[in-house]
Amino acid sequence: MSTNIPRLKPTQLKETAKRLLLNGISTIIWGPPGIGKTELSKQIAEEIGTGHYVIDAISYLPSDLVTCIPDKEKSTLTEYTIDIPDDTILIIDDISLCEEYQIKAYMKIIYEKRLGNKRFKYPCILTANRTTDNTGARNLIDAFSNRVSHLELTISSEDWIQWASENSISNDIISFIKIYPDKLYNRDGIAFSTPRTWNLVNKFLNSLEKENDDLFVSGVGSLIGLETANQLLCFTKYFKDFDPEECIRRGKIDSADGIELYAKIMALGTHLQKTGIKHEYTKGLESIFLNLEGDYKGTFIGSLIRYNNGEKDISILLELNKVSTFKDYIKNTISFMKEGEKK
């Protein structure tokens, strides 16, 4: 596939796709498997203010989409189509896996905005893999490609963390991805991590009734690979076993470095997001912060940023900003965030 199309993060792609769709232009969202193309398509429909209906493109023959059956008694033809609700955006999944004869059937839907005699209020959203994605994807014929817009979805750990924070993904998984954003999508081996498989990991871990390291590693490893599963197990243990109240009272984090220290800092930040900066915490937090070295200070400040209704919430940072020890670090963090938003 050519790289001459816009490559956008989820939040950027949503805005562009909504504008195209509201102007009557169908849109293909390109990208590797598991990065959230279908989920993003549903979000786009929701933000437009309509429903969605997903069909797996490769599973349908042209006759499955629309067919006419003769009624011998009445000497008429009765048309049957997929029962797509009115005022709905049709999402056609994995269009690039289709054979050419299937593509031509979908091309009629795209071009005429109708399925048989059923007309659509909105154009369609389609998803597609690239030929380099090892999915058996094919290049689309030019007659089809030239009738739609094309956007490529890129991986954004920040966008995923925002989504995860609002969709009941556990705090230890979110914190792990904050520290190791390259683990959000790591296509190495048969089982590999993607936004989709992290959601499955969350479901699997929520089903465990008690701690079982072997089951943790085998189950999670089957979804995202053994190396990442073992790292997550180590991180999760430190995260969940940490006592933030005791740490604040003592004014120090007992830890060596690396994954243990990162996990404990993120656990402390998660705790402070829930409790706020209580007056009695001030001295302990100052002591903890002053004893952190280099990047770990930035990790602590970053752990206090949360998402609320799709926006970054820095209220905890502003509470902490009243303490002189933190002012310069928080000022720099907020300035960096504003520069990033401009870009």
Side-chain angles (χ1 to χ4, degrees):
M1 178 193 166
S2 173
T3 57
N4 72 334
I5 63 174
R7 302 182 73 248
L8 303 173
K9 296 191 300 183
T11 49
Q12 297 170 319
L13 191 146
K14 278 199 292 186
E15 292 306 311
T16 303
K18 283 190 294 184
R19 181 67 60 181
L20 288 163
L21 291 162
L22 290 172
N23 278 280
I25 304 168
S26 290
T27 299
I28 299 182
I29 301 175
W30 293 87
I35 65 170
K37 299 184 297 295
T38 306
E39 176 63 29
L40 192 70
S41 300
K42 295 175 183 177
Q43 293 174 27
I44 291 168
E46 182 179 337
E47 291 185 16
I48 286 175
T50 186
H52 62 267
Y53 189 94
V54 183
I55 62 172
D56 182 15
I58 195 172
S59 300
Y60 288 83
L61 298 172
S63 58
D64 295 326
L65 298 171
V66 57
T67 190
C68 292
I69 298 177
D71 186 324
K72 293 181 179 180
E73 293 182 2
K74 297 180 180 179
S75 299
T76 59
L77 293 175
T78 301
E79 181 182 88
Y80 293 91
T81 65
I82 302 173
D83 187 20
I84 301 172
D86 293 333
D87 198 23
T88 294
I89 288 182
L90 179 62
I91 299 173
I92 304 173
D93 227 4
D94 291 329
I95 188 67
S96 57
L97 299 182
C98 291
E99 300 284 353
E100 186 173 326
Y101 74 91
Q102 293 172 296
I103 292 285
K104 289 179 178 177
Y106 290 116
M107 186 163 67
K108 186 176 180 66
I109 296 173
I110 299 299
Y111 185 61
E112 298 182 2
K113 278 177 47 177
R114 68 181 178 91
L115 181 60
N117 291 319
K118 182 179 181 62
R119 296 197 170 274
F120 299 127
K121 179 178 178 180
Y122 298 99
C124 300
I125 305 174
L126 305 92
T127 70
N129 299 136
R130 305 159 302 184
T131 55
T132 55
D133 287 328
N134 195 32
T135 60
R138 304 171 177 83
N139 287 319
L140 299 178
I141 58 176
D142 287 350
F144 187 91
S145 291
N146 202 234
R147 284 179 163 85
V148 297
S149 61
H150 302 265
L151 301 171
E152 184 174 348
L153 178 61
T154 61
I155 308 293
S156 167
S157 60
E158 184 174 340
D159 282 9
W160 183 85
I161 288 166
Q162 176 184 327
W163 174 86
S165 300
E166 298 170 352
N167 286 274
S168 302
I169 303 298
S170 66
N171 286 322
D172 50 335
I173 290 177
I174 293 173
S175 295
F176 182 80
I177 297 300
K178 280 185 177 180
I179 298 299
Y180 304 106
D182 58 312
K183 296 295 184 181
L184 177 60
Y185 182 82
N186 183 20
R187 197 167 179 181
D188 183 20
I190 297 174
F192 55 93
S193 56
T194 67
R196 175 166 58 203
T197 51
W198 277 111
N199 191 27
L200 297 176
V201 166
N202 185 69
K203 290 180 179 179
F204 174 76
L205 293 181
N206 283 341
S207 74
L208 298 183
E209 296 177 356
K210 58 182 179 179
E211 288 189 17
N212 183 323
D213 291 357
D214 290 339
L215 188 55
F216 184 114
V217 171
S218 60
V220 174
S222 73
L223 294 166
I224 58 175
L226 284 173
E227 181 180 347
T228 305
N230 279 297
Q231 285 181 307
L232 180 65
L233 173 62
C234 184
F235 185 93
T236 297
K237 279 181 171 293
Y238 289 128
F239 186 94
K240 290 184 173 179
D241 292 344
F242 181 68
D243 184 344
E245 290 285 342
E246 176 64 20
C247 170
I248 294 169
R249 279 193 295 270
R250 297 180 63 221
K252 61 183 292 189
I253 297 177
D254 292 325
S255 175
D257 54 20
I259 195 168
E260 179 182 357
L261 185 50
Y262 278 128
K264 290 180 176 180
I265 291 172
M266 295 306 295
L268 176 59
T270 300
H271 177 73
L272 294 173
Q273 286 182 24
K274 296 175 182 176
T275 64
I277 308 299
K278 297 179 181 179
H279 177 71
E280 59 266 31
Y281 287 174
T282 303
K283 286 186 178 180
L285 291 175
E286 280 189 284
S287 177
I288 291 168
F289 188 73
L290 291 172
N291 281 291
L292 293 174
E293 296 181 358
D295 291 344
Y296 293 115
K297 282 184 167 68
T299 299
F300 174 71
I301 296 297
S303 73
L304 302 176
I305 300 170
R306 57 189 175 181
Y307 286 93
N308 192 1
N309 295 322
E311 300 290 335
K312 281 183 179 176
D313 181 350
I314 60 171
S315 57
I316 304 297
L317 284 184
L318 296 178
E319 285 184 48
L320 200 59
N321 196 44
K322 298 172 185 176
V323 183
S324 59
T325 302
F326 299 96
K327 282 189 174 181
D328 286 343
Y329 290 95
I330 292 174
K331 179 181 177 182
N332 291 336
T333 299
I334 293 174
S335 176
F336 181 77
M337 286 169 53
K338 288 180 177 177
E339 287 298 318
E341 288 169 1
K342 290 178 183 177
K343 294 177 182 179

